[in-house]
Amino acid sequence: NMKLGGLGPDYETIKEKVSKLSLQKEYSRQIKEYNMRNITVVQRSPVKAQVSSVSRQKALEYAKKIPRPKTFIAKQPEQEVQGVLPQAPKGPSLPQIPSLESLWDRHKREKEFVAAFKALHIL
């Protein structure tokens, strides 16, 4: 009298699940009805609305008294802009550019150092 698994759907377990779901839905419906009957709607007092309007009025008055920051004119007239050209700074403030020969010599020395390190298996 043993029942082994089959290829089709198991209607007994499906019926059990459906019955559990229907019980859960019925329970949730009853709870919802109970809560709807017992919950009292609390109306907001109109005093709270007046308080917020008073505080808003105070904030607006305060904002009117605060001095506004000064705005600067960012754009210059076109005639003045055309007359002024950027100029390079004068004097020894620019760094000296090394000659190509000195850079080539430095490159050769550094190549020799790298070759020596590779020979010693350091790199």
Side-chain angles (χ1 to χ4, degrees):
N1 292 338
M2 290 179 62
K3 183 179 178 189
L4 299 175
L7 295 176
D10 188 9
Y11 291 111
E12 293 175 9
T13 56
I14 292 174
K15 288 179 183 177
E16 290 174 6
K17 289 181 182 179
V18 168
S19 64
K20 281 185 182 180
L21 282 174
S22 64
L23 288 174
Q24 286 177 351
K25 287 182 182 180
E26 178 63 27
Y27 178 73
S28 65
R29 186 186 60 76
Q30 289 175 359
I31 294 294
K32 184 177 179 181
E33 288 176 4
Y34 175 79
N35 287 338
M36 292 301 284
R37 278 186 259 134
N38 292 334
I39 293 177
T40 58
V41 178
V42 178
Q43 293 183 2
R44 295 187 178 197
S45 61
V47 175
K48 204 168 202 180
Q50 292 174 356
V51 171
S52 64
S53 65
V54 169
S55 61
R56 178 171 169 72
Q57 290 298 325
K58 287 182 181 179
L60 290 174
E61 289 174 16
Y62 177 75
K64 289 178 184 176
K65 294 178 184 176
I66 294 177
R68 299 187 185 268
K70 296 179 182 178
T71 56
F72 296 104
I73 299 173
K75 295 182 179 180
Q76 295 179 352
E78 294 179 13
Q79 295 172 353
E80 293 179 13
V81 173
Q82 290 175 357
V84 177
L85 295 175
Q87 296 178 358
K90 296 179 180 178
S93 62
L94 295 175
Q96 264 189 332
I97 300 174
S99 67
L100 182 61
E101 292 176 5
S102 64
L103 290 175
W104 187 251
D105 291 337
R106 179 179 166 192
H107 175 68
K108 285 183 181 178
R109 279 186 273 133
E110 289 176 354
K111 270 178 88 173
E112 290 173 2
F113 287 133
V114 171
F117 283 129
K118 284 185 180 179
L120 297 173
H121 303 291
I122 293 176
L123 288 179

